[in-house]
Amino acid sequence: MSEARGNNGPHSADVGPSGRKIIYDKDGKPCRSCNTLLDFQFVSKTVSPTPQSEKGNIEGSKVYKKVDPPDVEQLGRSSWTLLHTVAATYPEVPSDHQKKEMNQFMNIFSHVYPCSWCGKDFEDYIRNNAPKVDSREELGKWLCDAHNEVNEKLGKEKFNCDLWKKRWVDGWN
């Protein structure tokens, strides 16, 4: 993958319990958004004795549960859901203004992504494969290809991009 923005990138010698290399931020601290919760807790020695499901509500609230910040896996799933849903609702024939905004959005997204290493990787992908924003179909397939590149790097199965509309627009049946 690409180099990290922080002091220690994905090539760090530290490996967490998940078997993944620990990613550090620019200050040399384990990146909360770039590591799994278990790996982050292991490296920062903050393993929580209480499982998430037993934490209860935030003091004074009947609604808001005590939830830890997202780890790299939850953040990734949520981010891909957002991006694919944005593509699924993108106009079939966008205006020049909408095309410009989508290009800007993808670039800004890569710059502000909470895991700086992941953001840099997406930024590099965009630099080498400019977002295709001339139609919903083009954007959906481009994003599917981007997602598949990440899946491949993570050793996950690739998704058949011919089925992107069934997954994100129309539904399976």
Side-chain angles (χ1 to χ4, degrees):
M1 283 204 169
S2 64
E3 66 184 59
R5 291 182 179 167
N7 294 337
N8 296 306
H11 306 291
S12 167
D14 293 338
V15 176
S18 72
R20 293 178 188 226
K21 293 178 182 175
I22 303 299
I23 310 276
Y24 294 89
D25 65 17
K26 66 183 183 313
D27 299 322
K29 296 178 183 173
C31 175
R32 179 67 187 84
S33 299
C34 300
N35 297 291
T36 67
L37 177 59
L38 179 63
D39 288 345
F40 176 78
Q41 290 174 332
F42 172 77
V43 129
S44 62
K45 297 175 179 40
T46 59
V47 176
S48 173
T50 308
Q52 189 74 47
S53 61
E54 297 176 18
K55 289 188 176 182
N57 290 347
I58 295 173
E59 190 174 316
S61 174
K62 294 177 182 174
V63 178
Y64 296 106
K65 301 251 181 240
K66 292 180 184 175
V67 176
D68 288 321
D71 69 1
V72 70
E73 292 172 347
Q74 183 182 4
L75 181 62
R77 282 189 304 272
S78 299
S79 297
W80 285 118
T81 297
L82 171 69
L83 291 173
H84 287 296
T85 304
V86 166
T89 59
Y90 189 64
E92 290 185 23
V93 182
S95 67
D96 288 341
H97 181 72
Q98 289 168 318
K99 293 176 192 179
K100 180 182 173 190
E101 286 185 330
M102 184 55 69
N103 265 310
Q104 288 175 328
F105 172 75
M106 291 296 175
N107 279 286
I108 291 169
F109 186 84
S110 75
H111 296 161
V112 301
Y113 196 74
C115 171
S116 60
W117 182 66
C118 303
K120 176 76 170 101
D121 197 52
F122 193 48
E123 181 182 338
D124 290 345
Y125 183 83
I126 290 170
R127 186 175 22 262
N128 295 322
N129 306 279
K132 294 184 179 176
V133 298
D134 287 337
S135 69
R136 177 186 301 166
E137 182 72 22
E138 266 196 0
L139 181 61
K141 284 194 172 184
W142 175 85
L143 196 57
C144 184
D145 289 336
H147 194 166
N148 272 338
E149 183 168 297
V150 172
N151 284 343
E152 187 172 12
K153 289 176 185 179
L154 295 175
K156 295 181 176 181
E157 184 179 344
K158 286 179 147 186
F159 184 80
N160 179 348
C161 290
D162 291 334
L163 302 175
W164 85 270
K165 276 187 164 178
K166 285 189 179 287
R167 171 62 179 94
W168 297 104
V169 180
D170 304 323
W172 295 103
N173 285 323

